[in-house]
Amino acid sequence: GAGVSQSPRYKVAKRGQDVALRCDPISGHVSLFWYQQALGQGPEFLTYFQNEAQLDKSGLPSDRFFAERPEGSVSTLKIQRTQQEDSAVYLCASSLGGREGNQPQHFGDGTRLSIL
Amino acid sequence: SQKIEQNSEALNIQEGKTATLTCNYTNYSPAYLQWYRQDPGRGPVFLLLIRENEKEKRKERLKVTFDTTLKQSLFHITASQPADSATYLCALDMKRADTGRRALTFGSGTRLQVQP
């Protein structure tokens, strides 16, 4: 596709349920990032992949959060036993090169997660 | 601690005027600084990147300055139009205080409203 695609666009889940969010990056992009964005705030870094390798997961808020990119393209962010504080917009971004700050990042439109 | 500050109050200007948005940062010396535009319900869109050894960068009606002494970047939109109304985010490649690893760190953004 022409851009980064995320699905679903909206997800409502009951507290305690598991959810899976999908990201389809721009074809050929080596780097993939997940961010969490609260209302009125900028995106906050969660995790980074270079191809299929998860090189940095230091931003994941708890061990309930898990991300994978098994074939170096599509990525899934999974949240287990969801809590109300997990409600946020989850953004995925990809870039052509590495994670250095000289690379523009291309964002999807995010998944808005609401935990009831 | 490292901080990125953008004016949280919305900036309201008349069509045709120049909009100037400010991004201040503390306790870090980034090699690169990026500006993104974000519309409601959409992901951020990359606009411009400026390097620490560049004082100014232009792209069409957009101009970014980077003063590493003041630790400040200014983002200008000349001849502003109602279609420029959006939230503008600055982002720096910063070392995370908790892990020492680098990640693109975003400010909370400034909402610009251009009145016709």
Coordinates of all heavy atoms in Angstrom, one line a residue, chain B residues 8-101:
Chain B
S8 N 1.1 24.9 25.1 CA -0.1 24.1 25.2 C -1.3 24.9 24.8 O -2.4 24.3 24.5 CB -0.2 23.5 26.6 OG -0.3 24.5 27.5
E9 N -1.2 26.2 24.8 CA -2.4 27.0 24.5 C -2.5 27.1 23.0 O -1.5 27.1 22.3 CB -2.3 28.4 25.0 CG -2.4 28.5 26.5 CD -2.4 29.9 27.0 OE1 -2.6 30.8 26.2 OE2 -2.2 30.1 28.2
A10 N -3.7 27.1 22.5 CA -3.9 27.1 21.0 C -3.5 28.5 20.5 O -3.6 29.5 21.2 CB -5.4 26.9 20.7
L11 N -3.0 28.5 19.3 CA -2.6 29.7 18.6 C -3.6 30.1 17.6 O -3.9 29.3 16.6 CB -1.2 29.6 18.0 CG -0.7 30.7 17.2 CD1 -0.4 31.9 18.1 CD2 0.6 30.3 16.5
N12 N -4.3 31.2 17.7 CA -5.3 31.7 16.8 C -4.7 32.8 16.0 O -4.3 33.8 16.6 CB -6.5 32.1 17.5 CG -7.3 30.9 18.1 OD1 -7.9 30.1 17.5 ND2 -7.2 30.8 19.5
I13 N -4.8 32.7 14.6 CA -4.3 33.8 13.8 C -5.2 34.0 12.6 O -6.0 33.1 12.3 CB -2.9 33.6 13.3 CG1 -2.8 32.4 12.4 CG2 -1.9 33.4 14.4 CD1 -1.5 32.3 11.6
Q14 N -5.1 35.2 12.0 CA -5.9 35.5 10.8 C -5.3 34.9 9.5 O -4.0 34.9 9.4 CB -6.1 37.0 10.6 CG -7.1 37.7 11.5 CD -8.5 37.1 11.3 OE1 -9.0 36.6 12.3 NE2 -9.1 37.2 10.1
E15 N -6.1 34.5 8.6 CA -5.6 34.0 7.3 C -4.7 35.0 6.7 O -5.0 36.2 6.7 CB -6.8 33.8 6.4 CG -6.5 33.2 5.0 CD -7.7 32.9 4.2 OE1 -8.8 33.2 4.7 OE2 -7.5 32.3 3.2
G16 N -3.6 34.6 6.1 CA -2.6 35.4 5.5 C -1.5 35.9 6.3 O -0.4 36.3 5.8
K17 N -1.7 35.8 7.7 CA -0.6 36.1 8.6 C 0.4 35.0 8.7 O 0.2 33.8 8.3 CB -1.1 36.5 10.0 CG -2.1 37.6 10.0 CD -1.5 38.9 9.7 CE -2.5 40.1 9.8 NZ -1.9 41.3 9.4
T18 N 1.6 35.3 9.3 CA 2.6 34.2 9.6 C 2.3 33.6 11.0 O 2.2 34.4 12.0 CB 4.0 34.8 9.5 OG1 4.2 35.2 8.2 CG2 5.0 33.8 9.9
A19 N 2.3 32.3 11.0 CA 2.1 31.6 12.3 C 3.5 31.2 12.8 O 4.3 30.7 12.0 CB 1.3 30.4 12.2
T20 N 3.8 31.4 14.0 CA 5.1 31.0 14.6 C 4.9 30.2 15.8 O 4.3 30.6 16.8 CB 6.0 32.2 15.0 OG1 6.2 33.0 13.8 CG2 7.3 31.8 15.6
L21 N 5.4 28.9 15.8 CA 5.3 28.0 16.9 C 6.6 27.7 17.5 O 7.6 27.7 16.7 CB 4.6 26.7 16.4 CG 3.1 26.7 16.1 CD1 2.9 27.4 14.8 CD2 2.6 25.3 16.0
T22 N 6.7 27.5 18.8 CA 7.9 27.4 19.5 C 8.1 26.0 20.1 O 7.1 25.4 20.6 CB 8.0 28.4 20.6 OG1 7.8 29.7 20.1 CG2 9.3 28.4 21.3
C23 N 9.3 25.5 20.0 CA 9.7 24.2 20.7 C 11.0 24.5 21.5 O 12.0 24.8 20.9 CB 9.9 23.1 19.6 SG 10.4 21.6 20.3
N24 N 10.9 24.3 22.8 CA 12.0 24.5 23.6 C 12.4 23.1 24.3 O 11.5 22.3 24.6 CB 11.7 25.5 24.8 CG 11.5 26.9 24.2 OD1 12.4 27.5 23.6 ND2 10.3 27.4 24.5
Y25 N 13.7 22.9 24.4 CA 14.1 21.7 25.1 C 15.2 21.9 26.1 O 15.8 23.0 26.0 CB 14.5 20.6 24.0 CG 15.7 21.1 23.2 CD1 17.0 20.8 23.5 CD2 15.4 21.8 22.0 CE1 18.0 21.2 22.7 CE2 16.5 22.2 21.2 CZ 17.8 21.9 21.6 OH 18.8 22.3 20.8
T26 N 15.3 21.0 27.0 CA 16.3 21.2 28.1 C 17.1 20.0 28.3 O 16.7 18.9 28.0 CB 15.6 21.6 29.4 OG1 14.7 20.5 29.8 CG2 14.8 22.9 29.4
N27 N 18.3 20.2 28.8 CA 19.2 19.1 29.2 C 19.5 18.1 28.2 O 19.7 16.9 28.5 CB 18.6 18.4 30.5 CG 18.5 19.4 31.6 OD1 19.3 20.3 31.8 ND2 17.5 19.2 32.4
Y28 N 19.6 18.5 26.9 CA 20.0 17.6 25.9 C 20.5 18.4 24.7 O 20.1 19.5 24.5 CB 18.8 16.7 25.5 CG 19.2 15.5 24.6 CD1 20.0 14.5 25.2 CD2 18.9 15.4 23.3 CE1 20.4 13.4 24.4 CE2 19.2 14.4 22.5 CZ 20.0 13.4 23.1 OH 20.4 12.3 22.3
S29 N 21.3 17.8 23.9 CA 21.8 18.4 22.6 C 21.5 17.4 21.5 O 22.3 16.6 21.1 CB 23.3 18.7 22.7 OG 23.6 19.6 23.8
P30 N 20.3 17.5 20.9 CA 20.0 16.6 19.8 C 20.7 17.0 18.5 O 21.0 18.1 18.2 CB 18.5 16.9 19.6 CG 18.2 18.3 20.1 CD 19.2 18.5 21.2
A31 N 21.0 15.9 17.8 CA 21.6 16.1 16.5 C 20.6 16.5 15.4 O 20.9 17.1 14.4 CB 22.3 14.9 16.0
Y32 N 19.3 16.1 15.6 CA 18.3 16.4 14.7 C 17.0 16.8 15.4 O 16.8 16.4 16.5 CB 18.0 15.1 13.8 CG 19.2 14.5 13.3 CD1 19.8 13.4 13.9 CD2 19.7 14.9 12.0 CE1 20.9 12.8 13.4 CE2 20.8 14.3 11.5 CZ 21.4 13.2 12.2 OH 22.5 12.6 11.6
L33 N 16.2 17.6 14.7 CA 14.9 18.0 15.2 C 13.9 17.9 14.1 O 14.2 18.3 12.9 CB 15.0 19.4 15.8 CG 13.8 19.9 16.6 CD1 14.2 20.9 17.6 CD2 12.8 20.6 15.6
Q34 N 12.7 17.3 14.4 CA 11.7 17.1 13.3 C 10.4 17.8 13.7 O 10.1 18.0 14.9 CB 11.4 15.6 13.1 CG 12.7 14.8 12.8 CD 12.3 13.3 12.5 OE1 11.2 13.0 12.2 NE2 13.3 12.5 12.6
W35 N 9.7 18.2 12.7 CA 8.3 18.8 12.9 C 7.3 17.9 12.2 O 7.5 17.5 11.0 CB 8.2 20.2 12.4 CG 8.9 21.2 13.4 CD1 10.2 21.6 13.4 CD2 8.2 21.9 14.5 NE1 10.4 22.5 14.5 CE2 9.2 22.7 15.1 CE3 6.9 21.9 14.9 CZ2 8.9 23.5 16.2 CZ3 6.6 22.7 16.0 CH2 7.6 23.5 16.6
Y36 N 6.2 17.7 12.8 CA 5.1 16.9 12.3 C 3.8 17.7 12.4 O 3.6 18.5 13.3 CB 4.9 15.6 13.0 CG 6.0 14.6 12.8 CD1 7.3 14.7 13.4 CD2 5.8 13.5 11.9 CE1 8.3 13.8 13.1 CE2 6.8 12.6 11.7 CZ 8.0 12.7 12.3 OH 9.0 11.8 12.0
R37 N 2.9 17.4 11.5 CA 1.5 17.9 11.6 C 0.6 16.8 11.9 O 0.7 15.7 11.4 CB 1.1 18.5 10.3 CG -0.4 18.9 10.1 CD -0.8 19.3 8.7 NE -2.2 19.5 8.7 CZ -2.8 20.5 8.1 NH1 -2.1 21.4 7.4 NH2 -4.1 20.5 8.1
Q38 N -0.4 17.0 12.8 CA -1.4 16.0 13.2 C -2.8 16.6 13.1 O -3.1 17.6 13.8 CB -1.1 15.4 14.5 CG -2.0 14.2 14.8 CD -1.6 13.4 16.1 OE1 -1.0 14.0 17.0 NE2 -1.9 12.1 16.1
D39 N -3.7 16.0 12.3 CA -5.1 16.4 12.3 C -5.9 15.5 13.2 O -5.5 14.3 13.4 CB -5.6 16.3 10.8 CG -4.9 17.4 9.9 OD1 -5.4 18.5 10.0 OD2 -4.0 17.1 9.2
P40 N -7.0 15.9 13.6 CA -7.8 15.1 14.6 C -8.2 13.8 14.0 O -8.6 13.6 12.8 CB -9.1 16.0 14.8 CG -8.7 17.4 14.5 CD -7.6 17.3 13.4
G41 N -7.9 12.7 14.8 CA -8.2 11.4 14.3 C -7.3 10.8 13.3 O -7.5 9.7 12.8
R42 N -6.2 11.5 13.1 CA -5.2 11.0 12.1 C -3.8 10.9 12.8 O -3.5 11.4 13.8 CB -5.1 12.0 10.9 CG -6.4 12.3 10.2 CD -7.0 11.1 9.6 NE -6.2 10.5 8.6 CZ -6.2 10.8 7.3 NH1 -6.9 11.9 6.9 NH2 -5.4 10.2 6.4
G43 N -2.9 10.1 12.1 CA -1.5 10.0 12.6 C -0.7 11.3 12.2 O -1.1 12.0 11.3
P44 N 0.4 11.5 12.9 CA 1.3 12.6 12.6 C 1.8 12.4 11.1 O 2.1 11.3 10.7 CB 2.4 12.5 13.6 CG 1.8 11.8 14.7 CD 0.9 10.8 14.1
V45 N 2.0 13.6 10.5 CA 2.6 13.6 9.1 C 3.9 14.4 9.2 O 3.9 15.5 9.6 CB 1.6 14.2 8.1 CG1 2.3 14.3 6.7 CG2 0.4 13.4 8.0
F46 N 5.0 13.8 8.7 CA 6.3 14.4 8.7 C 6.3 15.7 7.8 O 5.8 15.6 6.7 CB 7.3 13.5 8.2 CG 8.7 14.1 8.0 CD1 9.5 14.4 9.1 CD2 9.1 14.4 6.7 CE1 10.8 15.0 8.9 CE2 10.4 15.0 6.5 CZ 11.2 15.3 7.6
L47 N 6.9 16.8 8.3 CA 7.0 18.0 7.6 C 8.4 18.4 7.2 O 8.8 18.5 6.1 CB 6.3 19.2 8.4 CG 4.8 19.1 8.6 CD1 4.4 20.2 9.5 CD2 4.0 19.1 7.3
L48 N 9.2 18.5 8.2 CA 10.6 19.0 8.0 C 11.5 18.4 9.1 O 11.1 18.1 10.2 CB 10.7 20.5 8.2 CG 10.2 21.4 7.0 CD1 10.1 22.8 7.4 CD2 11.2 21.3 5.8
L49 N 12.8 18.2 8.7 CA 13.8 17.8 9.6 C 15.0 18.8 9.4 O 15.3 19.2 8.3 CB 14.3 16.4 9.2 CG 15.5 15.8 10.0 CD1 15.3 14.3 10.0 CD2 16.8 16.1 9.4
I50 N 15.6 19.2 10.6 CA 16.7 20.1 10.6 C 17.8 19.5 11.4 O 17.6 18.9 12.5 CB 16.2 21.5 11.1 CG1 17.4 22.5 10.9 CG2 15.7 21.5 12.5 CD1 16.9 24.0 11.0
R51 N 19.0 19.7 11.0 CA 20.2 19.1 11.7 C 20.8 20.2 12.5 O 20.6 21.4 12.3 CB 21.2 18.6 10.6 CG 20.8 17.4 9.8 CD 21.7 17.1 8.7 NE 21.4 15.8 8.1 CZ 20.3 15.6 7.3 NH1 19.5 16.6 7.0 NH2 20.1 14.4 6.8
E52 N 21.6 19.8 13.5 CA 22.1 20.7 14.5 C 23.1 21.8 13.8 O 23.2 22.8 14.4 CB 22.9 20.0 15.6 CG 24.1 19.2 15.1 CD 24.8 18.5 16.3 OE1 24.7 19.0 17.4 OE2 25.6 17.5 16.0
N53 N 23.7 21.4 12.7 CA 24.6 22.4 12.1 C 23.9 23.2 11.0 O 24.5 24.0 10.3 CB 25.7 21.6 11.4 CG 25.3 20.7 10.4 OD1 24.1 20.4 10.2 ND2 26.3 20.1 9.6
E54 N 22.5 23.1 11.0 CA 21.7 23.9 10.1 C 21.0 25.0 10.9 O 20.3 24.6 11.9 CB 20.7 23.1 9.3 CG 21.4 22.1 8.3 CD 20.3 21.2 7.7 OE1 19.4 20.7 8.4 OE2 20.4 21.0 6.4
K55 N 21.1 26.2 10.5 CA 20.4 27.3 11.3 C 18.9 27.4 10.8 O 18.0 27.7 11.6 CB 21.1 28.6 11.0 CG 22.5 28.7 11.5 CD 22.5 28.6 13.0 CE 24.0 28.8 13.5 NZ 24.1 28.5 14.9
E56 N 18.7 27.1 9.6 CA 17.3 27.3 9.0 C 17.1 26.3 7.9 O 18.0 25.9 7.1 CB 17.3 28.8 8.5 CG 16.0 29.2 7.9 CD 16.1 30.7 7.4 OE1 16.4 31.6 8.2 OE2 16.0 30.9 6.1
K57 N 15.8 26.0 7.7 CA 15.4 25.1 6.6 C 14.1 25.6 6.1 O 13.2 25.9 6.9 CB 15.4 23.7 7.0 CG 15.4 22.7 5.9 CD 16.2 21.5 6.3 CE 16.4 20.6 5.2 NZ 16.9 19.3 5.6
R58 N 13.9 25.5 4.8 CA 12.6 26.0 4.2 C 12.0 24.9 3.3 O 12.7 24.2 2.7 CB 12.8 27.3 3.4 CG 13.2 28.5 4.2 CD 13.5 29.6 3.3 NE 14.0 30.8 4.0 CZ 13.2 31.8 4.4 NH1 12.0 31.9 4.0 NH2 13.7 32.8 5.0
K59 N 10.7 24.9 3.3 CA 10.0 24.0 2.3 C 8.6 24.7 2.0 O 7.8 24.8 2.9 CB 9.7 22.7 2.9 CG 8.9 21.7 2.1 CD 8.7 20.4 2.8 CE 7.8 19.5 2.0 NZ 7.4 18.3 2.8
E60 N 8.6 25.3 0.8 CA 7.4 26.0 0.4 C 7.1 27.1 1.4 O 7.9 28.0 1.6 CB 6.2 25.0 0.2 CG 6.5 24.0 -0.9 CD 5.5 22.9 -1.0 OE1 4.6 22.8 -0.1 OE2 5.6 22.1 -2.0
R61 N 5.9 27.1 2.0 CA 5.5 28.2 3.0 C 6.1 27.9 4.4 O 5.8 28.7 5.3 CB 4.0 28.4 3.0 CG 3.4 28.8 1.7 CD 1.9 29.1 1.8 NE 1.2 27.9 2.1 CZ 0.6 27.6 3.2 NH1 0.6 28.5 4.2 NH2 -0.1 26.5 3.4
L62 N 6.8 26.8 4.6 CA 7.2 26.5 5.9 C 8.7 26.8 6.1 O 9.5 26.7 5.2 CB 7.1 24.9 6.1 CG 5.8 24.3 5.8 CD1 5.8 22.8 6.1 CD2 4.7 25.0 6.6
K63 N 9.0 27.3 7.3 CA 10.4 27.6 7.7 C 10.7 27.1 9.1 O 9.9 27.4 10.0 CB 10.7 29.1 7.5 CG 12.2 29.4 7.8 CD 12.5 30.9 7.6 CE 12.2 31.6 8.9 NZ 12.7 33.0 8.8
V64 N 11.8 26.4 9.3 CA 12.2 26.0 10.6 C 13.5 26.5 10.9 O 14.4 26.6 10.1 CB 12.2 24.4 10.7 CG1 12.8 24.0 12.0 CG2 10.9 23.8 10.5
T65 N 13.7 27.0 12.2 CA 15.0 27.4 12.6 C 15.4 26.6 13.8 O 14.5 26.0 14.5 CB 15.0 28.9 13.1 OG1 14.1 29.1 14.2 CG2 14.6 29.8 11.9
F66 N 16.7 26.5 14.1 CA 17.2 25.6 15.1 C 18.4 26.3 15.8 O 19.4 26.5 15.2 CB 17.7 24.3 14.5 CG 18.0 23.1 15.4 CD1 17.6 23.2 16.8 CD2 18.5 22.0 14.9 CE1 17.9 22.1 17.6 CE2 18.8 20.9 15.8 CZ 18.5 21.0 17.1
D67 N 18.1 26.8 17.0 CA 19.2 27.5 17.8 C 19.6 26.6 18.9 O 19.0 26.5 19.9 CB 18.6 28.8 18.3 CG 19.6 29.7 18.9 OD1 20.6 29.2 19.5 OD2 19.5 30.9 18.8
T68 N 20.8 26.0 18.7 CA 21.3 25.0 19.7 C 21.8 25.7 20.9 O 22.0 25.1 22.0 CB 22.4 24.2 19.1 OG1 23.4 25.0 18.6 CG2 21.8 23.3 18.0
T69 N 22.1 27.0 20.9 CA 22.5 27.8 22.1 C 21.3 28.1 23.0 O 21.4 27.8 24.2 CB 23.2 29.1 21.7 OG1 24.3 28.8 20.8 CG2 23.7 29.9 22.9
L70 N 20.2 28.5 22.3 CA 19.0 28.8 23.1 C 18.2 27.5 23.4 O 17.3 27.5 24.2 CB 18.1 29.7 22.3 CG 18.5 31.2 22.2 CD1 17.5 32.0 21.3 CD2 18.7 31.8 23.6
K71 N 18.6 26.4 22.7 CA 17.9 25.1 22.8 C 16.4 25.4 22.4 O 15.4 25.1 23.2 CB 18.0 24.5 24.2 CG 19.4 24.1 24.6 CD 19.4 23.3 25.9 CE 20.8 22.9 26.2 NZ 21.5 22.0 25.3
Q72 N 16.3 25.9 21.2 CA 14.9 26.3 20.7 C 14.8 26.1 19.2 O 15.8 26.4 18.5 CB 14.7 27.7 21.1 CG 13.3 28.2 20.7 CD 13.1 29.7 21.0 OE1 13.6 30.6 20.4 NE2 12.4 30.0 22.1
S73 N 13.6 25.7 18.8 CA 13.3 25.6 17.4 C 12.0 26.4 17.2 O 11.1 26.4 18.0 CB 13.1 24.2 16.9 OG 12.7 24.2 15.5
L74 N 12.0 27.2 16.1 CA 10.8 28.0 15.7 C 10.3 27.4 14.4 O 11.1 27.1 13.5 CB 11.1 29.5 15.6 CG 11.6 30.2 16.8 CD1 11.9 31.7 16.5 CD2 10.6 30.1 18.0
F75 N 9.0 27.3 14.3 CA 8.4 26.8 13.1 C 7.4 27.9 12.6 O 6.5 28.3 13.3 CB 7.6 25.5 13.5 CG 6.8 24.9 12.4 CD1 7.5 24.1 11.4 CD2 5.5 25.1 12.2 CE1 6.7 23.5 10.4 CE2 4.7 24.5 11.2 CZ 5.4 23.7 10.3
H76 N 7.7 28.3 11.4 CA 6.9 29.4 10.8 C 6.1 28.9 9.6 O 6.6 28.1 8.8 CB 7.8 30.5 10.3 CG 8.8 31.0 11.3 ND1 8.5 32.0 12.1 CD2 10.0 30.6 11.6 CE1 9.5 32.3 12.9 NE2 10.5 31.4 12.6
I77 N 4.8 29.3 9.5 CA 4.0 29.1 8.3 C 3.6 30.5 7.8 O 2.9 31.2 8.5 CB 2.7 28.3 8.6 CG1 3.0 27.0 9.3 CG2 1.9 28.1 7.3 CD1 1.8 26.2 9.8
T78 N 4.1 30.8 6.6 CA 3.8 32.1 6.0 C 2.6 32.0 5.2 O 2.2 30.9 4.8 CB 5.0 32.6 5.2 OG1 5.2 31.7 4.1 CG2 6.3 32.8 6.0
A79 N 1.9 33.2 5.1 CA 0.7 33.3 4.3 C -0.3 32.1 4.7 O -0.8 31.3 3.9 CB 1.0 33.2 2.8
S80 N -0.6 32.1 6.0 CA -1.3 30.9 6.5 C -2.7 30.9 5.9 O -3.3 31.9 5.5 CB -1.4 31.0 8.0 OG -2.0 32.3 8.4
Q81 N -3.2 29.6 5.9 CA -4.6 29.4 5.3 C -5.4 28.6 6.3 O -4.8 27.8 7.1 CB -4.4 28.5 4.0 CG -3.5 29.2 3.0 CD -3.1 28.2 1.9 OE1 -3.5 27.0 1.9 NE2 -2.3 28.7 0.9
P82 N -6.7 28.6 6.2 CA -7.5 27.8 7.2 C -7.1 26.3 7.1 O -7.2 25.6 8.1 CB -8.9 28.0 6.7 CG -8.9 29.4 6.1 CD -7.5 29.6 5.5
A83 N -6.7 25.8 5.9 CA -6.3 24.4 5.8 C -5.0 24.1 6.6 O -4.7 22.9 6.8 CB -6.1 24.1 4.3
D84 N -4.3 25.1 7.1 CA -3.2 24.9 7.9 C -3.5 24.6 9.4 O -2.7 24.2 10.2 CB -2.2 26.1 7.9 CG -1.6 26.4 6.6 OD1 -1.4 25.4 5.8 OD2 -1.4 27.6 6.2
S85 N -4.8 24.7 9.7 CA -5.3 24.5 11.1 C -5.1 23.0 11.4 O -5.6 22.1 10.7 CB -6.8 24.8 11.2 OG -7.0 26.2 10.9
A86 N -4.3 22.8 12.5 CA -4.0 21.4 12.9 C -3.1 21.6 14.2 O -2.9 22.7 14.6 CB -3.1 20.7 11.8
T87 N -2.7 20.4 14.7 CA -1.7 20.4 15.8 C -0.4 20.1 15.2 O -0.2 19.2 14.4 CB -2.1 19.4 16.9 OG1 -3.4 19.7 17.5 CG2 -1.0 19.3 18.0
Y88 N 0.6 20.9 15.7 CA 2.0 20.7 15.2 C 2.9 20.2 16.3 O 2.9 20.8 17.4 CB 2.5 22.1 14.6 CG 1.8 22.4 13.3 CD1 0.5 23.1 13.4 CD2 2.2 22.0 12.1 CE1 -0.2 23.4 12.2 CE2 1.6 22.3 10.9 CZ 0.4 23.0 11.0 OH -0.3 23.3 9.9
L89 N 3.6 19.2 16.0 CA 4.4 18.5 17.0 C 5.9 18.6 16.7 O 6.2 18.4 15.5 CB 4.1 17.0 17.1 CG 2.7 16.6 17.4 CD1 2.4 15.2 16.9 CD2 2.4 16.6 18.9
C90 N 6.7 19.0 17.6 CA 8.1 18.9 17.4 C 8.6 17.6 18.0 O 8.0 17.0 19.0 CB 8.9 20.1 17.9 SG 9.1 20.2 19.7
A91 N 9.7 17.0 17.5 CA 10.2 15.8 18.0 C 11.8 15.8 17.9 O 12.3 16.2 16.9 CB 9.7 14.6 17.1
L92 N 12.4 15.3 19.0 CA 13.8 15.2 19.0 C 14.3 13.8 19.3 O 13.6 13.0 20.0 CB 14.3 16.1 20.2 CG 14.4 17.6 20.1 CD1 13.0 18.2 20.1 CD2 15.2 18.2 21.2
D93 N 15.4 13.5 18.7 CA 16.0 12.2 18.9 C 16.8 12.3 20.3 O 17.9 12.8 20.3 CB 17.0 11.8 17.8 CG 17.6 10.5 17.9 OD1 16.9 9.6 18.4 OD2 18.7 10.3 17.5
M94 N 16.2 11.8 21.3 CA 16.7 12.0 22.7 C 17.1 10.7 23.3 O 16.4 9.7 23.0 CB 15.7 12.7 23.5 CG 15.4 14.1 23.0 SD 14.2 14.9 24.1 CE 15.3 15.6 25.4
K95 N 18.0 10.7 24.2 CA 18.3 9.6 25.1 C 17.3 9.5 26.2 O 17.0 10.5 26.9 CB 19.7 9.7 25.7 CG 20.8 9.3 24.8 CD 22.1 9.2 25.5 CE 23.2 8.8 24.6 NZ 24.5 8.9 25.2
R96 N 16.6 8.4 26.3 CA 15.6 8.2 27.4 C 16.3 8.2 28.7 O 17.4 7.5 28.9 CB 14.8 7.0 27.2 CG 13.9 7.0 26.0 CD 13.4 5.6 25.7 NE 12.9 4.9 26.8 CZ 11.6 5.0 27.2 NH1 10.8 5.7 26.5 NH2 11.2 4.3 28.2
A97 N 15.8 9.0 29.7 CA 16.5 9.1 31.0 C 16.5 7.8 31.7 O 17.4 7.5 32.4 CB 15.7 10.2 31.8
D98 N 15.5 6.9 31.5 CA 15.4 5.7 32.3 C 16.3 4.6 31.7 O 16.8 3.7 32.4 CB 13.9 5.2 32.4 CG 13.2 5.2 31.0 OD1 13.8 5.6 30.0 OD2 12.1 4.7 31.0
T99 N 16.5 4.6 30.3 CA 17.2 3.5 29.7 C 18.5 3.9 29.1 O 19.4 3.1 28.8 CB 16.4 2.8 28.7 OG1 16.1 3.7 27.6 CG2 15.0 2.3 29.3
G100 N 18.7 5.2 28.8 CA 19.8 5.7 28.1 C 19.8 5.4 26.6 O 20.7 5.7 25.9
R101 N 18.7 4.8 26.2 CA 18.5 4.5 24.7 C 17.9 5.6 24.0 O 17.1 6.4 24.6 CB 17.7 3.2 24.6 CG 18.4 2.0 25.1 CD 17.5 0.8 24.9 NE 18.1 -0.4 25.5 CZ 17.6 -1.6 25.5 NH1 16.4 -1.8 24.9 NH2 18.2 -2.7 26.0

